[in-house]
Amino acid sequence: MLNRKKTEISVFWIFYLGFIMILCVICISGLLFTNDVLKDFESSQPYKVVEKYLKKIENGEYSYPFVYSKFVQTDFAGSEECISVLRQRYENKELSFLESSSHSGVDTVRYNIYGNGERIGYVILSISDTKTKYGFKTWKIENCEPFEFLEKYTVTVPKGYILYADGSIIADKYISNTEKVDDYPEINGIESPGYVTYELYGFIKEPVFTVDPIYGEAYTQTVSEDFNNIIFERKEVNYNNIYNFIRSAMEEYISVISLEKEMENYLQYVLDGSEYSKVVENFNSSWTMYNPEILSSGLENFEILRYEEYTETQILAEITFDYVVELKYSTEEYHSNYKIILIKTENGWKIANMENI
C-alpha cells in the first residue's frame, strides 16, 4: 500500500510540473510575440522615418534631403549649390523635430525640423503602399522644405563687357535691354558706346558678379541697398589728361575765332576726316568783322560739368568757360557751354564733334 501511494504522488508532480512548464512556454511565447508586435508597430510610426531622415543629415548626407526637395535645376543652381545651402542650414546644429498638428491629416503628416531650437525646415510624410510584418501601415517621405529662389537681379554693364556670375559667363538670353548712348553718335564708322542690361533669376544663394572689360581696364561696381540692382562702369582714368587737353584746345579755339591765330593751330586737336573737321576748316569768324579792335582774348572759369568715359577710346565731356575779350574801349565776357565728343587715335585724343548746349 505504501508503494502505491508513492507512485501516485510521483505521477501527480510530474504532470503538475509539466503543466507549469507548458504555461511558462506559452507565456514566454506570448510575451515574445507581443514584444515583436509592439516593435513592428513602433517601426511603422512616422516619427521613425523622420529620425532616419535627421540621422542622414547629421552624418553629412545632404544629398538625401536634396532628392526629396524635388528641386528643378536652373542655369545658376544645381545639386552643388543646393547641397551648399543645405550644409549651411543644418551643419553644426543640434537637430530635433516636432509634429505639426496644424499641417497633419489622415494620410499625411508634417514634422517641423529645428536647429538649436529654431525652425529651419520641415518634412512631409504620406502613407506608403507597403505594410509591416504584422500588417501595420508604413510611411514614406513625400517632400521636404523646398529651396527658395532669390529675387531677380538686374545687372548693367558697358557694351562689350563680359558678365560672370560666380565665375560662369552669363548667356545672351538673359539680356533684357541694349541701349546706345544717344548723345554720342557713330563717328567715322566707330560704333556708339552703349550699355547692356541683364535680368537674372534662378539663384538660391547670393551670387558674386564680375566682369571682363574690353581692354582689361579698371571698373567700378555700384550696388543698390537691396543688392538686386548692380551697375558696372568703367573707371575714369583719363580725366586729368582730358581736362588739360580740352582746356588747351579751347584756348586755341578762342584765339582762332578772335583772329589771333590761324585755324591750323586748332585743327591739331580735331579728328581728321570727321564732319566736324570740315565745319572747322570752313569756319568764318563773322563776329570779328564787327569787332575789329580786339586787343586780346582769354579763357576763364573753365570747368567740366559732365564727364563720361565710355571706353578706352570714347569720351564725352560737357564744359563751361568764360570767353573774355579785351576791346579798345571795353572788356566783354561771354559765357560758353559746349558738349564735346572725343575719340582716341594713334596720334592721341581728338575732338570728333563740338556743339553748343
Side-chain angles (χ1 to χ4, degrees):
M1 293 294 293
L2 184 61
N3 291 336
R4 182 179 175 187
K5 191 179 273 191
K6 285 183 178 181
T7 301
E8 288 177 355
I9 292 172
S10 298
V11 171
F12 170 78
W13 284 107
I14 291 171
F15 175 78
Y16 179 76
L17 290 173
F19 178 74
I20 294 298
M21 291 179 65
I22 291 171
L23 285 178
C24 288
V25 169
I26 291 173
C27 289
I28 292 171
S29 297
L31 289 173
L32 291 174
F33 174 76
T34 302
N35 185 61
D36 195 33
V37 171
L38 289 174
K39 284 183 177 180
D40 193 50
F41 174 76
E42 181 80 4
S43 67
S44 71
Q45 297 305 296
Y47 75 85
K48 285 293 184 179
V49 179
V50 183
E51 285 181 348
K52 178 183 176 182
Y53 179 80
L54 291 188
K55 192 67 176 177
K56 293 276 189 181
I57 293 175
E58 288 173 339
N59 291 335
E61 298 178 42
Y62 299 112
S63 58
Y64 192 70
F66 167 68
V67 171
Y68 290 110
S69 70
K70 299 179 181 179
F71 179 75
V72 179
Q73 182 170 311
T74 71
D75 288 345
F76 307 111
S79 59
E80 184 178 339
E81 288 75 18
C82 291
I83 288 174
S84 175
V85 171
L86 288 169
R87 181 177 290 108
Q88 186 177 8
R89 183 185 299 173
Y90 291 112
E91 195 171 45
N92 299 323
K93 290 185 176 69
E94 184 178 342
L95 301 180
S96 59
F97 63 91
L98 185 66
E99 182 179 346
S100 173
S101 58
S102 60
H103 290 85
S104 298
V106 177
D107 297 327
T108 61
V109 59
R110 167 172 163 164
Y111 286 87
N112 289 325
I113 297 174
Y114 298 86
N116 297 338
E118 181 182 354
R119 197 189 82 83
I120 56 176
Y122 65 81
V123 61
I124 295 177
L125 277 59
S126 63
I127 297 174
S128 71
D129 296 330
T130 59
K131 291 187 177 182
T132 65
K133 176 180 176 181
Y134 295 104
F136 296 112
K137 62 184 178 182
T138 59
W139 297 81
K140 64 178 180 179
I141 297 175
E142 188 67 31
N143 54 61
C144 64
E145 181 96 356
F147 293 93
E148 293 185 2
F149 287 106
L150 302 178
E151 292 185 19
K152 181 173 61 179
Y153 288 88
T154 300
V155 185
T156 301
V157 303
K159 191 175 181 181
Y161 278 34
I162 300 174
L163 177 64
Y164 299 83
D166 295 326
S168 298
I169 296 177
I170 302 297
D172 289 347
K173 67 180 181 179
Y174 291 103
I175 295 176
S176 62
N177 185 44
T178 300
E179 183 179 1
K180 286 187 176 181
V181 179
D182 292 334
D183 48 4
Y184 195 111
E186 182 176 314
I187 298 172
N188 285 23
I190 301 175
E191 188 177 357
S192 301
Y195 294 95
V196 178
T197 299
Y198 296 81
E199 288 189 350
L200 305 167
Y201 44 86
F203 295 96
I204 60 172
K205 64 176 187 176
E206 188 175 326
V208 176
F209 293 107
T210 55
V211 294
D212 187 6
I214 301 174
Y215 302 104
E217 66 269 24
Y219 58 86
T220 60
Q221 179 181 354
T222 305
V223 182
S224 63
E225 291 184 1
D226 60 5
F227 299 101
N228 290 327
N229 295 294
I230 303 166
I231 298 174
F232 287 93
E233 293 180 299
R234 188 180 190 278
K235 270 192 176 179
E236 298 176 353
V237 297
N238 292 299
Y239 181 84
N240 290 333
N241 290 336
I242 295 300
Y243 180 94
N244 294 329
F245 172 82
I246 296 178
R247 184 183 177 90
S248 296
M250 292 303 99
E251 287 174 345
E252 294 295 336
Y253 176 72
I254 64 174
S255 296
V256 170
I257 64 175
S258 302
L259 298 181
E260 296 175 280
K261 291 184 179 180
E262 298 296 326
M263 181 58 70
E264 283 71 20
N265 290 277
Y266 177 61
L267 281 173
Q268 64 180 320
Y269 294 91
V270 177
L271 180 65
D272 187 38
S274 64
E275 290 297 320
Y276 178 64
S277 68
K278 296 175 184 177
V279 172
V280 171
E281 288 169 359
N282 296 320
F283 173 76
N284 180 15
S285 183
S286 58
W287 179 84
T288 58
M289 295 174 60
Y290 302 97
N291 297 276
E293 299 180 357
I294 295 178
L295 300 179
S296 65
S297 63
L299 179 150
E300 295 182 359
N301 303 318
F302 176 82
E303 187 178 354
I304 295 181
L305 300 177
R306 176 189 172 195
Y307 182 80
E308 302 287 348
E309 196 163 314
Y310 299 114
T311 70
E312 190 182 48
T313 61
Q314 294 170 296
I315 292 176
L316 180 147
E318 292 181 358
I319 65 170
T320 180
F321 61 86
D322 293 324
Y323 171 36
V324 181
V325 182
E326 185 180 349
L327 304 173
K328 187 174 181 179
Y329 300 107
S330 65
T331 299
E332 303 293 337
E333 186 176 293
Y334 303 94
H335 188 68
S336 303
N337 290 286
Y338 291 101
K339 180 176 73 175
I340 298 177
I341 302 293
L342 297 128
I343 289 180
K344 190 176 184 180
T345 69
E346 293 180 354
N347 298 316
W349 289 98
K350 300 294 179 183
I351 297 175
N353 192 44
M354 186 171 79
E355 58 184 51
N356 284 300
I357 55 174

